[in-house]
Amino acid sequence: MSDGWKTNMKFEHLLSVVNGFGRFQMMIIIISFIGRFTLPCHFLLNNFIAAVPSHHCDLSALDDGSIFGNLTQEQRLTVSVPVQEDGTPSSCKMFPEPQFQLLSNSNDHDLVTVPCQNGWAYDNSTFKSTLATEWDLVCDQKGQNKATTTIFFIGVMFGAMTFGSLSDRFGRKTMLLVSYISGMLFGFASAFSTSFIMFAVLRFFTGFGITGIVIVSSVLSVEWVDIEHRKLVGVIDSLSWTFGYCMIPAIAYCVTDWRQLTIAVTSPLALAILTWRWIPESARWLIANGKFEKANFYLQQCAQMNQEEEFGSKITPEVKRKDRTHSHLDLVRTPKMRRLALLTGIVWYGVASTFYGISFNITGFGLNIYLTQFVYGAIELPAKLSAYYLLDKVGRRNTEVGSLLGAGICLAINIFIPRDMSVLRTVVAVLGKGCSATSFTTVVLYSSELFPTVVRQNGMGYNSSMGRLGVSLAPLILLLDEVWRDLPQVLLCSIALLASLVARMLPETRDRCLPETIQDTDIPLKSKDNDEVENGY
């Protein structure tokens, strides 16, 4: 039996001695929840700060003191702005001079129009200010406004790889603080941007900084709990996303200025920094890196807080020897690690692309932007509670396979439902989003259990980057409806079904000890009761 396997079983035994799920673990979950709350808020922030309110060309320059000044606002629009096919005033065109004859004749098809000459007038009834109103990111410049989401998620993608690698090298706790501080500083700084370029750059680094929060805190929580409670911790961690999803509409409803809203959703990180001092380092990581005295310190602390005063075990170099520093290269160093990285990367891409593809494409509610956003978050709650039940009853692998399969089926069904049956299409889309939410909850816990401790953060960073790649490409997939109306649905359905098939090739981790070393991936996974063996990766 290898040293890594002995270490694996030894640490699980230590957790049982100090109580693998007590006050100490609840403290970690609660403190992590504070920092994680800001993640969904920032991920969805662009839905509000980049919103484009109704607008038309600014007509103030046409008021030369003549009859134009005596017209009502509706009459001014009639004589100054052409009407679109749907009967609404054009947002980007105007007449070079007032066309007073239109007050009695509504036919403006043969009249000359020009682009807006003096800026735009915006409807401020919903938003006091947005990026679009601040820098006139409309009409020919609307692409810049849409690019802010892509820029942010590119930052998230690079941050995931970086924080995953650095937290395996310098520790979970240290990199969590770095993520807190960098996310807060760049988030606050972006609220004071004086140009769009400055905002875009700071938004990139905000995404880069805050992504470490979810990667590090998820792994830290899992590494401190026993086998029986890992799925509970995974579901609780995912509920922080749902909570933020439901809260940001309320925050945005009260704070309608984009600068103030950015500050509001970033502010919880200040509290997270204050509570960081009580976050323990991962004892698993400390042992894997030969820091036995510190590991003993935190295990003693855990035992005392969990009222297990009799704990007196000492960790010695015999338990685990540090051999070398690990990096992303270790994810492809051995055949089985390469296979694991390939399979989990495909699953993460499929999960993220399906989840956001459905989220961006749900229509038919007929609700305002705040209520719609709240409903999108609320429907995730039953999905994630069902995941809590399924993770133990049918296992991680079957839950992942089934939820992706369900999302793919819902996407396929909507291809054949007529467009005019909007209520039925919406119901099916909501069911699909529920399935995709279940798959997202499962994949975070599942993948953290698959990778060994020495490269767990590297693995999670790589997987998160694959997921963010899926997020970035999802809006581009939806634009393909111009090629063929149902092409986005067909592609998303195919991605979900492919990811489901790939997930079926991964091993089950229910009731299994976490692998500690890369060598552990080459031996069978053993259950907590030592009576059930399953083939390795």
Side-chain angles (χ1 to χ4, degrees), residues 2-5 8 452 514-525:
S2 69
D3 290 341
W5 179 244
N8 188 347
L514 291 179
E516 301 293 343
T517 68
I518 293 178
Q519 288 71 29
D520 290 342
T521 64
D522 293 323
I523 60 178
L525 290 174

Side-chain angles (χ1 to χ4, degrees), residues 8 70 78 88 169 223 272 316 329 332 407 454 461 525:
N8 188 347
N70 297 324
T78 300
T88 60
R169 176 170 297 185
E223 289 182 339
T316 67
L329 292 178
V332 295
V454 292
L525 290 174

Side-chain angles (χ1 to χ4, degrees), residues 95-117:
F95 300 124
E97 56 186 23
Q99 304 295 319
F100 295 108
Q101 73 275 12
L102 294 179
L103 293 174
S104 57
N105 179 13
S106 60
N107 186 2
D108 62 2
H109 296 303
D110 298 327
L111 298 176
V112 177
T113 60
V114 296
C116 295
Q117 302 295 299

